[in-house]
Amino acid sequence: MPAFKFRLDFLIALRRQKEEEAAVKLARRLASISELEENLEALFTRLGQLTEEIKTHGQMGRLTGPLMRLYSDYQNRLRQDIKKTEELLILSRREEAKERLALTRAVMARQVIEKTKDRQKEAFDQEAERGERETLEEMAGLARTWRLKETGVGDDAN
Protein backbone atom coordinates (compact mmCIF):
# COMPACT_ATOMS: atom_id res chain seq x y z
CA MET A 1 0.00 0.00 0.00
CA PRO A 2 1.37 3.46 -0.83
CA ALA A 3 2.46 5.79 1.95
CA PHE A 4 0.24 8.66 3.05
CA LYS A 5 0.79 11.80 1.02
CA PHE A 6 -0.95 15.07 1.92
CA ARG A 7 -1.56 17.20 -1.12
CA LEU A 8 -1.61 20.48 0.81
CA ASP A 9 1.80 20.26 2.51
CA PHE A 10 2.87 23.30 0.50
CA LEU A 11 -0.03 25.21 2.08
CA ILE A 12 1.11 24.26 5.57
CA ALA A 13 4.61 25.49 4.73
CA LEU A 14 3.18 28.73 3.33
CA ARG A 15 1.01 29.32 6.37
CA ARG A 16 3.90 28.51 8.70
CA GLN A 17 5.98 31.10 6.83
CA LYS A 18 3.23 33.70 7.22
CA GLU A 19 2.98 32.84 10.90
CA GLU A 20 6.72 33.34 11.33
CA GLU A 21 6.54 36.67 9.49
CA ALA A 22 3.72 37.80 11.77
CA ALA A 23 5.73 36.71 14.82
CA VAL A 24 8.75 38.70 13.61
CA LYS A 25 6.59 41.80 13.02
CA LEU A 26 5.14 41.46 16.51
CA ALA A 27 8.59 41.03 18.04
CA ARG A 28 9.81 44.16 16.28
CA ARG A 29 6.74 46.06 17.45
CA LEU A 30 7.30 44.92 21.04
CA ALA A 31 10.95 46.02 20.83
CA SER A 32 9.80 49.39 19.48
CA ILE A 33 7.29 49.76 22.31
CA SER A 34 9.96 48.90 24.84
CA GLU A 35 12.28 51.50 23.34
CA LEU A 36 9.53 54.13 23.41
CA GLU A 37 8.79 53.34 27.05
CA GLU A 38 12.49 53.69 27.91
CA ASN A 39 12.65 57.01 26.03
CA LEU A 40 9.55 58.23 27.84
CA GLU A 41 11.02 57.26 31.19
CA ALA A 42 14.26 59.08 30.30
CA LEU A 43 12.31 62.19 29.31
CA PHE A 44 10.39 62.17 32.60
CA THR A 45 13.65 61.68 34.48
CA ARG A 46 15.27 64.59 32.63
CA LEU A 47 12.22 66.78 33.32
CA GLY A 48 12.48 65.96 37.03
CA GLN A 49 16.20 66.70 37.01
CA LEU A 50 15.55 70.02 35.28
CA THR A 51 13.00 70.96 37.92
CA GLU A 52 15.55 70.18 40.63
CA GLU A 53 18.18 72.27 38.84
CA ILE A 54 15.79 75.22 38.71
CA LYS A 55 15.07 74.85 42.43
CA THR A 56 18.77 74.66 43.22
CA HIS A 57 19.58 77.78 41.17
CA GLY A 58 16.63 79.59 42.75
CA GLN A 59 17.78 78.72 46.27
CA MET A 60 21.31 79.88 45.49
CA GLY A 61 20.01 83.11 43.97
CA ARG A 62 21.58 82.46 40.57
CA LEU A 63 18.29 82.25 38.68
CA THR A 64 18.30 85.19 36.30
CA GLY A 65 15.67 86.14 33.73
CA PRO A 66 17.55 84.80 30.69
CA LEU A 67 18.46 81.58 32.54
CA MET A 68 14.83 81.17 33.58
CA ARG A 69 13.81 81.67 29.95
CA LEU A 70 16.25 78.96 28.78
CA TYR A 71 15.03 76.54 31.43
CA SER A 72 11.42 77.29 30.52
CA ASP A 73 12.06 76.74 26.81
CA TYR A 74 13.85 73.47 27.55
CA GLN A 75 11.02 72.32 29.84
CA ASN A 76 8.49 73.10 27.11
CA ARG A 77 10.54 71.14 24.59
CA LEU A 78 10.77 68.19 26.97
CA ARG A 79 7.01 68.29 27.53
CA GLN A 80 6.41 68.35 23.77
CA ASP A 81 8.76 65.40 23.34
CA ILE A 82 6.92 63.56 26.12
CA LYS A 83 3.59 64.25 24.43
CA LYS A 84 4.86 63.05 21.03
CA THR A 85 6.40 59.94 22.58
CA GLU A 86 3.16 59.16 24.42
CA GLU A 87 1.21 59.52 21.17
CA LEU A 88 3.66 57.24 19.38
CA LEU A 89 3.36 54.75 22.23
CA ILE A 90 -0.43 54.75 21.95
CA LEU A 91 -0.23 54.22 18.19
CA SER A 92 2.35 51.48 18.62
CA ARG A 93 0.17 49.69 21.16
CA ARG A 94 -2.75 49.81 18.73
CA GLU A 95 -0.53 48.34 16.03
CA GLU A 96 0.66 45.73 18.51
CA ALA A 97 -2.93 44.65 19.08
CA LYS A 98 -3.45 44.37 15.31
CA GLU A 99 -0.23 42.40 14.90
CA ARG A 100 -1.16 40.05 17.78
CA LEU A 101 -4.49 39.45 16.07
CA ALA A 102 -2.70 38.79 12.75
CA LEU A 103 -0.38 36.32 14.48
CA THR A 104 -3.31 34.58 16.15
CA ARG A 105 -5.11 34.30 12.81
CA ALA A 106 -1.96 32.99 11.11
CA VAL A 107 -1.55 30.34 13.82
CA MET A 108 -5.19 29.32 13.53
CA ALA A 109 -5.00 29.15 9.73
CA ARG A 110 -1.99 26.84 9.93
CA GLN A 111 -3.60 24.71 12.63
CA VAL A 112 -6.77 24.27 10.56
CA ILE A 113 -4.77 22.81 7.67
CA GLU A 114 -2.71 20.65 10.06
CA LYS A 115 -5.90 19.30 11.65
CA THR A 116 -7.22 18.52 8.18
CA LYS A 117 -3.97 16.70 7.44
CA ASP A 118 -4.24 14.77 10.72
CA ARG A 119 -7.84 13.77 9.96
CA GLN A 120 -6.90 12.63 6.45
CA LYS A 121 -3.93 10.66 7.81
CA GLU A 122 -6.14 9.05 10.43
CA ALA A 123 -8.72 8.13 7.77
CA PHE A 124 -5.90 6.79 5.56
CA ASP A 125 -4.53 4.71 8.44
CA GLN A 126 -8.00 3.37 9.28
CA GLU A 127 -8.58 2.45 5.65
CA ALA A 128 -5.18 0.75 5.48
CA GLU A 129 -5.95 -1.14 8.69
CA ARG A 130 -9.37 -2.17 7.37
CA GLY A 131 -7.81 -3.34 4.09
CA GLU A 132 -5.15 -5.28 5.98
CA ARG A 133 -7.80 -6.84 8.22
CA GLU A 134 -9.88 -7.87 5.18
CA THR A 135 -6.80 -9.34 3.52
CA LEU A 136 -5.92 -11.29 6.67
CA GLU A 137 -9.50 -12.56 7.02
CA GLU A 138 -9.52 -13.60 3.36
CA MET A 139 -6.18 -15.37 3.77
CA ALA A 140 -7.42 -17.08 6.94
CA GLY A 141 -10.56 -18.18 5.10
CA LEU A 142 -8.51 -19.53 2.19
CA ALA A 143 -6.18 -21.31 4.56
CA ARG A 144 -9.13 -22.87 6.40
CA THR A 145 -10.68 -23.97 3.10
CA TRP A 146 -7.37 -25.43 1.94
CA ARG A 147 -6.87 -27.31 5.22
CA LEU A 148 -10.38 -28.71 5.04
CA LYS A 149 -9.77 -29.86 1.47
CA GLU A 150 -6.47 -31.50 2.45
CA THR A 151 -8.02 -33.33 5.37
CA GLY A 152 -11.00 -34.34 3.30
CA VAL A 153 -13.48 -32.97 5.74
CA GLY A 154 -14.83 -30.53 3.19
CA ASP A 155 -15.81 -33.42 0.79
CA ASP A 156 -18.07 -35.06 3.34
CA ALA A 157 -19.93 -31.82 3.94
CA ASN A 158 -21.05 -31.62 0.27
Side-chain angles (χ1 to χ4, degrees):
M1 179 162 219
F4 174 73
K5 181 152 176 90
F6 187 62
R7 293 181 183 172
L8 299 177
D9 276 334
F10 73 93
L11 189 57
I12 291 175
L14 179 67
R15 292 204 173 163
R16 184 169 283 123
Q17 180 183 1
K18 289 191 182 241
E19 178 183 342
E20 289 169 359
E21 289 171 1
V24 167
K25 280 180 81 173
L26 179 61
R28 286 184 184 145
R29 178 68 59 191
L30 291 173
S32 172
I33 287 173
S34 177
E35 185 180 330
L36 284 171
E37 287 172 342
E38 289 173 9
N39 290 344
L40 191 60
E41 185 64 34
L43 288 170
F44 277 121
T45 302
R46 183 62 191 131
L47 188 60
Q49 290 171 347
L50 188 62
T51 303
E52 289 299 316
E53 286 179 29
I54 292 171
K55 282 182 186 177
T56 303
H57 282 294
Q59 290 171 352
M60 298 175 123
R62 293 186 292 177
L63 195 59
T64 63
L67 187 57
M68 184 64 174
R69 172 77 181 191
L70 287 173
Y71 276 128
S72 177
D73 288 345
Y74 188 56
Q75 276 182 326
N76 287 336
R77 197 173 107 225
L78 283 175
R79 287 187 182 115
Q80 287 174 352
D81 289 347
I82 287 171
K83 186 177 178 182
K84 287 178 185 176
T85 304
E86 286 175 337
E87 289 171 357
L88 279 173
L89 190 57
I90 289 169
L91 291 174
S92 288
R93 286 194 173 135
R94 285 182 189 155
E95 290 300 313
E96 174 199 1
K98 289 177 186 176
E99 288 168 2
R100 278 190 192 278
L101 183 61
L103 177 60
T104 302
R105 287 181 178 163
V107 169
M108 288 173 44
R110 177 189 49 82
Q111 288 175 343
V112 164
I113 297 297
E114 285 181 345
K115 285 180 183 178
T116 301
K117 178 182 179 179
D118 292 343
R119 283 190 214 111
Q120 286 184 6
K121 175 138 177 50
E122 187 177 314
F124 178 84
D125 290 344
Q126 287 176 352
E127 182 63 29
E129 185 179 312
R130 187 184 62 76
E132 186 176 322
R133 209 175 324 118
E134 287 177 0
T135 302
L136 288 174
E137 287 173 3
E138 186 178 330
M139 287 174 55
L142 288 173
R144 190 177 321 113
T145 304
W146 191 43
R147 261 194 316 255
L148 288 175
K149 282 186 180 179
E150 281 186 353
T151 59
V153 177
D155 291 336
D156 293 338
N158 286 336

